[in-house]
């Protein structure tokens, strides 16, 4: 299961809508071994394409150096689909190289960059096998969603 703060989820959706009709892409880094997405890094789609995304290699190398220096790892690798459902394509599966990451896909096919809902789905992709997982969105103002936060009996 992917657990993600609403602010990060909404920022990923905003990025996907802003870049529509091209695919958007990025990474959400988090502390190594925590499985906690913390730091959103919007990346440039070097392919500039409505049907394909490609991280800019120079930008990606710089990001990995930052993550190594900060003891972080990519917790989420995300991109958008602009004309199809939020499901990994054969190319997406072939490019999935982070077995510990959650692969998030956002489909802007229905509303483009206009108001309206999007598909937001998460997958684990390991050795070519795709497994969809539940997405739990945390609202930091709702302490009932965070079991680590003590509940008040007042």
């Amino acid at each position: 299961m992917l657990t993600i703060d609403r602010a990060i989820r909404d920022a990923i959706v905003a990025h996907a809508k802003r870049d529509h009709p091209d695919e958007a892409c990025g990474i959400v880094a988090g502390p190594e071994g925590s499985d906690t997405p913390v730091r959103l890094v919007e990346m440039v789609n070097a392919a500039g394409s409505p049907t394909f995304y490609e991280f800019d290699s120079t930008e990606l190398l710089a990001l990995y150096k930052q993550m190594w220096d900060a003891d972080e790892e990519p917790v989420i690798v995300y991109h958008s689909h602009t004309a199809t459902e939020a499901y990994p394509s054969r190319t997406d599966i072939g490019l999935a190289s982070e077995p510990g990451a959650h692969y998030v896909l956002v489909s802007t096919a229905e509303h483009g960059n206009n108001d309206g809902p999007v598909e937001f789905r998460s997958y684990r992709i390991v050795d070519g096998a795709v497994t969809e997982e539940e997405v739990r969105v945390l609202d930091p103002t709702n302490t009932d969603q965070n079991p680590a936060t003590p509940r008040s009996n007042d």
Side-chain angles (χ1 to χ4, degrees), residues 124-140:
R124 294 291 192 161
I125 304 174
V126 179
D127 296 330
V130 177
T131 306
E132 186 166 7
E133 62 185 352
E134 181 182 343
V135 177
R136 180 176 179 220
V137 179
L138 297 178
D139 186 341

Side-chain angles (χ1 to χ4, degrees), residues 37-112:
V38 174
R39 184 168 66 96
L40 173 70
V41 181
E42 295 182 0
M43 305 286 284
V44 171
N45 179 355
S49 168
T51 59
F52 182 73
Y53 83 97
E54 178 178 287
F55 290 124
D56 176 90
S57 59
T58 302
E59 186 180 33
L60 188 61
L61 179 60
L63 174 60
Y64 269 82
K65 286 180 178 177
Q66 289 173 10
M67 289 191 297
W68 294 328
D69 289 346
D71 294 325
E72 293 177 325
E73 63 186 357
V75 177
I76 296 173
V77 178
Y78 74 88
H79 74 281
S80 61
H81 283 178
T82 60
T84 60
E85 69 175 321
Y87 189 84
S89 68
R90 189 178 311 178
T91 301
D92 298 335
I93 296 166
L95 293 174
S97 60
E98 292 286 349
H102 303 267
Y103 285 88
V104 166
L105 281 101
V106 177
S107 175
T108 57
E110 188 173 350
H111 297 284

